Amino acid sequence: MAFLADALSRVKPSATIAVSQKARELKAKGRDVIGLGAGEPDFDTPDNIKTAAIDAINRGETKYTPVSGIPELRKAVAAKFKRENNLEYAPEQTIVGTGGKQILFNAFMATLNPGDEVIIPTPYWVSYPEMVALCGGTPVFVATTQANNFKLQPADLDKAITPKTKWFMFNSPSNPSGAAYSHAELKALTDVLVKHPHVWILTDDMYEHLTYGDFKFATPVEVEPSLYDRTLTMNGVSKAYAMTGWRIGYAAGPLQLIKAMDMIQGQQTSGATSIAQWAAVEALNGPQDFIPRNKKIFEGRRDLVVSMLNQAKGLSCPVPEGAFYVYPSCAGLIGKTAPTGKVIETDEDFVSELLESEGVAVVHGSAFGLGPNFRISYATSEELLEEACRRIQRFCAACK
C-alpha cells in the first residue's frame, strides 16, 4: 500500500512559487538576481486598512468567525458587487475564504465528480488545472494565440463543450497574459454559454481594477444576466489593495453552491483570519483613491517593459490590457545557442539560461500551458525593471 495519495501524481508544484524560491536561494548565495516571477504588488497595504486591523485587535476581534465570513464583510462584498458590477447578491449568497485560491478549490471540491470536465483557456494560471485534478475533475485545455491577443474565440469554446463539461474557468484580466476581454468579446462568449445550460461559469476577477487606457472592465454575468443562476464570481483584495499576505478572497453566486462551499470550508479551515477580515471590510468600504494612482504607475511600467522587450533580438511582446504581467514570445531564440554553449530548445531552456547568465528570474510559458513564451511580472520598481530588461536584451544579443 502506497503511503502518499494517488491524487498527488496528478499534480505539479507551482512554477511561479518555484521561480521565486530559486531566486531567493541564489540571492542568499550572493548572486545579483532580479526576481520577476512573483505576482505581487510592491506597494504597501494602505494605512487606513492597516489601522482597521490594529483597531480590530484592540477591540478583541480575535475569536473564531462564522465559516463564510463575518457579517460585516459579507455585507461589504455584496455592496461591492452592486456598486462596481451591477450585480445583486444578498450577503448570504457571498462567501469569504483564505485567498482566492481557497474559493476556487472549495467550488471545485463541492461540485466535481470523476469524469467531470473543466474548460480552461491557455495560457492559464498555474493552479487552475492542478486544483481541478486534485478535486477529481478533468482539465480540458483550449488554446488561444498571440495573434488573437491570447483571447479565447467563441467557436473554440463551443467546440470544447461536451456533455461532461461542468465548468468553464474564465480569467480576465488574465494571469499570465494580461489579456482582458471587452464587453463585446465577453458577449460573444456568453452567447455560446447560453446555448449550453449544463455548463457553469467560474470567473476569476482578481485583477478587475488593474486595466489600462480606456479599457472598461466587465464580468460575465453582468454582460449576460441569464447566467446568474450558474455563475460563481470570485474576487479578492490581494492585488488592487496590495494585501497578498492578508489572504482574503471572496465570491458570490447561487445560494445552493455557497452553502456547499461553506460546508467544505467548515471542515477545512473554519474560515479566514478574523483580523484580515476586518481589514478587508475597510478595504472594500473605505477610500478607493489610491487604486487609480497605483494603476497609473503599473501602466507606466507596462509600457517600459513592452518597449524594451520588443527591442530585444528574437522576442515579441504584445501590449496587455490589464493585470501586471507581460507574456512575450521567445520563438525567435528557439534553436539558438546560449552563452553557456547550451542550445535553447524550449522556453524552459530560455528562462533557465537567462537566470544563469544574467540573473533575471522569469517564469517559462509552458508552465502556463502555452509556449514558447515567458511571463514577467512588472510589479516592481522602474529602476529594477529597466535593469532587468537591459540584461534580457544583452542575453538575447549574445545568443547565436
Side-chain angles (χ1 to χ4, degrees):
M1 179 188 297
F3 176 65
L4 296 178
D6 292 344
L8 289 181
S9 66
R10 303 194 295 267
V11 179
K12 302 186 294 290
S14 168
T16 53
I17 292 175
V19 166
S20 298
Q21 179 60 29
K22 186 168 184 181
R24 281 192 292 268
E25 290 171 357
L26 288 172
K27 282 182 181 179
K29 293 177 181 177
R31 282 288 304 274
D32 176 18
V33 174
I34 301 175
L36 302 178
E40 181 170 52
D42 57 325
F43 306 122
D44 194 15
T45 302
D47 287 342
N48 64 302
I49 297 172
K50 291 190 285 187
T51 299
I54 294 167
D55 290 345
I57 293 172
N58 290 333
R59 288 197 312 271
E61 305 281 5
T62 56
K63 307 298 184 185
Y64 291 131
T65 72
V67 171
S68 288
I70 58 175
E72 292 83 356
L73 183 50
R74 297 179 80 185
K75 183 179 178 182
V77 167
K80 176 263 182 256
F81 279 122
K82 173 65 175 174
R83 179 178 69 246
E84 297 182 349
N85 308 111
N86 303 309
L87 299 178
E88 292 275 2
Y89 289 106
E92 57 266 29
Q93 288 180 275
T94 69
I95 187 168
V96 176
T98 308
K101 268 186 175 178
Q102 187 178 31
I103 296 291
L104 298 174
F105 191 92
N106 288 352
F108 289 140
M109 179 63 72
T111 58
L112 290 178
N113 293 307
D116 286 347
E117 296 175 351
V118 178
I119 293 174
I120 304 174
T122 63
Y124 48 72
W125 181 44
V126 293
S127 292
Y128 293 152
E130 312 310 324
M131 289 179 181
V132 170
L134 271 173
C135 294
T138 302
V140 174
F141 302 116
V142 184
T144 65
T145 66
Q146 189 163 319
N148 286 325
N149 296 314
F150 302 113
K151 295 179 187 180
L152 180 65
Q153 300 304 294
D156 294 332
L157 171 60
D158 198 27
K159 185 178 178 182
I161 294 172
T162 75
K164 294 181 178 180
T165 304
K166 176 69 69 74
W167 287 101
F168 167 50
M169 183 70 238
F170 182 71
N171 178 212
S172 171
S174 161
N175 176 4
S177 71
Y181 291 72
S182 68
H183 190 286
E185 289 166 335
L186 263 181
K187 185 65 169 66
L189 294 178
T190 58
D191 283 350
V192 172
L193 294 164
V194 166
K195 298 189 303 181
H196 301 279
H198 68 291
V199 178
W200 283 62
I201 300 91
L202 208 173
T203 177
D204 177 350
D205 295 353
M206 192 63 75
Y207 296 91
E208 169 185 3
H209 292 295
L210 299 176
T211 60
Y212 307 117
D214 296 327
F215 186 91
K216 184 171 176 7
F217 175 83
T219 195
V221 73
E222 178 185 15
V223 171
E224 182 47 71
S226 70
L227 298 175
Y228 182 91
D229 290 332
R230 51 186 173 110
T231 299
L232 182 70
T233 301
M234 187 277 281
N235 210 313
V237 297
S238 293
K239 313 300 182 181
Y241 298 93
M243 294 176 67
T244 50
W246 298 79
R247 308 310 302 130
I248 295 291
Y250 58 81
L255 188 58
Q256 178 187 14
L257 175 59
I258 297 297
K259 286 182 175 179
M261 292 168 63
D262 175 275
M263 186 172 67
I264 297 287
Q265 191 159 294
Q267 297 295 350
Q268 189 185 55
T269 61
S270 297
T273 304
S274 61
I275 305 306
Q277 290 192 57
W278 282 105
V281 171
E282 175 63 20
L284 294 180
N285 290 345
Q288 309 288 304
D289 55 334
F290 62 92
I291 293 178
R293 289 200 302 269
N294 290 352
K295 197 163 82 162
K296 194 68 180 172
I297 294 170
F298 277 134
E299 187 169 9
R301 293 172 178 179
R302 177 201 66 170
D303 294 344
L304 168 71
V305 171
V306 169
S307 173
M308 292 189 72
L309 291 180
N310 278 324
Q311 295 172 49
K313 177 185 173 185
L315 300 186
S316 170
C317 185
V319 181
E321 294 100 333
F324 40 66
Y325 310 105
V326 293
Y327 200 64
S329 168
C330 58
L333 293 167
I334 301 300
K336 303 288 186 182
T337 302
T340 62
K342 179 178 174 57
V343 175
I344 299 172
E345 297 180 351
T346 65
D347 50 37
E348 190 165 4
D349 289 340
F350 172 84
V351 303
S352 177
E353 290 300 306
L354 176 62
L355 181 58
E356 179 65 31
S357 297
E358 293 289 349
V360 178
V362 300
V363 188
H364 52 288
S366 53
F368 303 101
L370 188 69
N373 293 73
F374 60 100
R375 189 193 79 172
I376 283 179
S377 167
Y378 53 84
T380 191
S381 71
E382 283 201 13
E383 181 183 6
L384 279 177
L385 290 170
E386 196 167 346
E387 173 60 21
C389 288
R390 276 197 296 266
R391 295 184 188 187
I392 292 171
Q393 289 175 347
R394 188 166 61 212
F395 173 76
C396 292
C399 293
K400 304 299 181 185

